Amino acid sequence: RQDTIPHVFGKDRRSLIERKIGRLFRGTTYTHAVAQGRETEGRRDDRLLLTALLNPALVQPWVDVLARHKVPLAGICSLPLLSANLLKRLGVKDDNVLLVTLQSASGLRQSFFRGGELRVSRLARMPRLGTVPFAEHVVGELDKLRRYLNSLRVMARESPLDIYILSQGEPLE
């Protein structure tokens, strides 16, 4: 979720971020805030991307095993957040970028970047390969995301959207 906070430092900043995260993402300890610059007008508030793992049960067994074996854990990072680094490594400089990846167990991950910053990431369910025309289903999901981006006003309706699809094997064919 995109949000803003007043431009403050230290404990005040941490407190504001913790309060916003606590209100948005109840029931999970796996949260993160990414500073994404400042507003250009008005008070010039700080822009934040607030993220969370909404189903902590997905990673808790792994965290428990690591703790039981006293293996230090530096952090848990989501793929959409790491994807910004991938786009840099690929040399992608387009303004509006949609990175699409097929997650074998969970579905179609669509991550939208504006100016190199992650703005929205959506996971769409995918039918089992071979049960429906795969390409048509993906195009339908991309159209849904495009309409969603327009409704959020994170991208102008007439702006080009550069789409990068990462896949392999049969789904790619």
Side-chain angles (χ1 to χ4, degrees):
R1 164 131 184 223
Q2 298 276 320
D3 214 329
T4 59
I5 60 169
H7 186 65
V8 294
F9 299 95
K11 286 171 45 176
D12 292 334
R13 180 181 181 84
R14 281 190 301 277
S15 177
L16 280 171
I17 292 171
E18 285 173 11
R19 196 173 20 228
K20 283 195 179 277
I21 283 176
R23 230 177 307 152
L24 287 171
F25 306 121
R26 290 188 179 98
T28 184
T29 56
Y30 302 111
T31 61
H32 185 62
V34 179
Q36 292 189 320
R38 296 182 67 185
E39 296 286 307
T40 56
E41 298 175 1
R43 296 187 315 187
R44 296 190 28 89
D45 288 346
D46 292 337
R47 291 183 298 111
L48 298 176
L49 177 66
L50 305 173
T51 68
L53 180 60
L54 298 177
N55 187 358
L58 291 173
V59 297
Q60 198 58 52
W62 293 95
V63 172
D64 292 344
V65 167
L66 293 173
R68 192 169 47 251
H69 289 84
K70 298 181 178 158
V71 175
L73 178 64
I76 299 170
C77 195
S78 74
L79 286 177
L81 289 174
L82 289 174
S83 296
N85 294 333
L86 173 64
L87 291 176
K88 287 177 190 171
R89 299 266 327 238
L90 293 174
V92 175
K93 296 185 187 322
D94 306 311
D95 198 32
N96 297 309
V97 173
L98 181 62
L99 180 64
V100 180
T101 58
L102 183 60
Q103 311 297 309
S104 61
S106 54
L108 190 71
R109 170 65 63 187
Q110 303 165 75
S111 300
F112 173 71
F113 297 83
R114 176 145 178 93
E117 295 178 341
L118 178 66
R119 296 298 179 99
V120 174
S121 187
R122 173 181 181 262
L123 185 63
R125 287 192 166 268
M126 286 297 296
R128 218 173 36 145
L129 194 60
T131 59
V132 299
F134 196 69
E136 289 176 28
H137 186 81
V138 171
V139 169
E141 289 299 329
L142 295 176
D143 186 50
K144 284 181 199 174
L145 183 71
R146 176 74 185 221
R147 287 191 310 251
Y148 179 64
L149 295 173
N150 289 337
S151 73
L152 291 177
R153 297 191 173 140
V154 294
M155 187 177 94
R157 203 176 292 275
E158 64 279 350
S159 295
L161 177 62
D162 295 295
I163 301 173
Y164 294 81
I165 299 175
L166 300 181
S167 186
Q168 65 179 4
E170 192 176 346
L172 185 60
E173 293 168 11

